[in-house]
């Protein structure tokens, strides 16, 4: 399972014929204490670059952007019930949605993503 990234500070990991998305450790550190997540409904279709979720913290509100066209196939109900999971394990238990892409996302490998942070 290789994790890839977007320039919008999201991580993407292939899982079977779907992809799991969440915000990066960098993004969650910038947000601060996450207090609310608004996740899309399963079955929702989206276009590349469209906001498909919202993450609210004590400092600001961030959006989850779709890196390609596709459809939501699952959401993390545990995060919806306990948004602090994003702070505790942003790139693991704090995943946000599973999607099935209908177009190819443009993603960065770990080195290219790290280069965007400096």
């Amino acid at each position: 399972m290789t994790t890839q990234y977007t320039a919008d500070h999201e991580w993407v990991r292939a899982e079977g014929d779907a992809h799991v998305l969440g915000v990066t450790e960098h993004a969650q550190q910038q947000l601060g204490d996450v207090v609310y997540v608004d996740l899309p409904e399963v079955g929702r279709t989206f276009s590349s670059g469209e906001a498909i979720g919202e993450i609210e913290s004590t400092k600001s509100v961030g959006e989850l952007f779709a890196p390609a066209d596709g459809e939501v196939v699952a959401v993390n109900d545990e995060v919806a019930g306990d948004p602090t999971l994003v702070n505790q394990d942003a790139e693991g238990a704090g995943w946000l949605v599973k999607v099935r892409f209908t177009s190819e996302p443009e993603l960065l490998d770990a080195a290219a993503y790290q280069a965007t942070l400096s």
Side-chain angles (χ1 to χ4, degrees):
M1 270 190 318
T2 301
T3 302
Q4 295 178 294
Y5 302 89
T6 72
D8 293 319
H9 307 291
E10 296 157 355
W11 59 268
V12 179
R13 192 174 303 134
E15 186 176 288
D17 65 342
H19 287 81
V20 182
L21 276 71
V23 296
T24 64
E25 288 290 332
H26 173 78
Q28 75 83 21
Q29 288 174 6
Q30 296 300 308
L31 284 165
D33 294 332
V34 175
V35 295
Y36 177 76
V37 293
D38 182 26
L39 300 176
E41 291 184 24
V42 173
R44 176 183 168 186
T45 59
F46 52 81
S47 300
S48 179
E50 185 177 339
I52 58 172
E54 196 171 89
I55 303 132
E56 185 177 329
S57 72
T58 55
K59 291 165 65 176
S60 66
V61 176
E63 294 183 313
L64 179 68
F65 294 102
D69 300 342
E71 177 182 358
V72 176
V73 296
V75 298
N76 188 346
D77 291 328
E78 288 185 45
V79 165
D82 182 7
T84 63
L85 285 174
V86 174
N87 294 115
Q88 296 167 16
D89 190 12
E91 298 188 26
W95 67 273
L96 299 174
V97 297
K98 289 183 184 178
V99 300
R100 189 165 294 121
F101 292 127
T102 57
S103 67
E104 193 66 32
E106 290 186 31
L107 301 172
L108 306 170
D109 64 21
Y113 176 68
Q114 286 298 317
T116 68
L117 302 178
S118 49

